């Protein structure tokens, strides 16, 4: 019964009908795209980069660089570039007084601030580097560390 009236409705409101059809078509395309896998953030398993655990990280908790918070990845990029760093204390010697990292001579480790969104100060997150190419991430102000796999 409704199909008998559709041509009349379209004839009277052809401009609106075309606009509505166009909007519906665009929505359909957008929704169809949203239903699939978000390949920008989660590539298929076959294309994911596997990183082996280096000897210096054996026995430690690890985190792939890609799984770090965006602020930590930005800090790593600054370290790779050699700065400039946003905080005056970035690059200072990390003493490892808590003993949670392997023991080395003083000056072996250096620390860098990983900004914490919403924090009014440097926050609790840090990246610590070792002279042997090690990278460690802490999000609880040195209570625990994860070796960063790059």
């Amino acid at each position: 019964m409704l199909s008998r009236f559709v041509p009349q409705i379209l004839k009277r409101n052809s401009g609106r009908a075309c606009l509505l059809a166009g909007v519906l078509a665009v929505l359909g395309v957008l929704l169809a795209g949203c239903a699939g896998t978000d390949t920008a953030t989660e590539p298929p398993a076959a294309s994911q980069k596997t990183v082996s655990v280096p000897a210096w990280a054996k026995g430690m908790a690890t985190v792939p660089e890609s799984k770090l918070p965006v602020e930590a990845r930005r800090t790593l990029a600054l370290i790779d570039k050699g700065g400039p760093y946003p905080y005056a204390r970035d690059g200072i010697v990390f003493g490892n007084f808590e003993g949670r990292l392997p023991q080395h001579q003083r000056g072996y480790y250096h620390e860098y601030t990983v900004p914490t969104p919403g924090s009014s100060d440097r926050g609790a997150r840090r990246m610590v580097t070792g002279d042997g190419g090690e990278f460690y991430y802490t999000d609880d102000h040195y209570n625990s560390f994860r070796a960063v796999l790059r």
Side-chain angles (χ1 to χ4, degrees), residues 38-118:
D38 184 358
T39 56
T41 56
E42 288 296 326
S47 66
Q48 284 185 355
K49 181 180 172 185
T50 56
V51 180
S52 61
V53 177
W56 57 266
K58 298 283 188 213
M60 285 191 78
T62 61
V63 59
E65 180 178 357
S66 63
K67 298 292 185 190
L68 286 170
V70 66
E71 298 85 4
R73 294 192 307 265
R74 285 186 195 131
T75 299
L76 282 172
L78 284 176
I79 294 168
D80 290 343
K81 265 181 30 177
Y85 303 108
Y87 298 91
R89 297 191 51 83
D90 286 345
I92 66 169
V93 169
F94 173 69
N96 194 27
F97 301 122
E98 297 83 359
R100 291 193 173 84
L101 296 179
Q103 292 300 315
H104 287 284
Q105 74 280 1
R106 180 154 175 75
Y108 185 86
Y109 294 115
H110 293 84
E111 67 174 270
Y112 302 86
T113 306
V114 174
T116 303

Side-chain angles (χ1 to χ4, degrees), residues 24-36:
L24 289 174
V26 169
L27 270 172
V29 168
L30 289 173
L31 290 174
C34 290

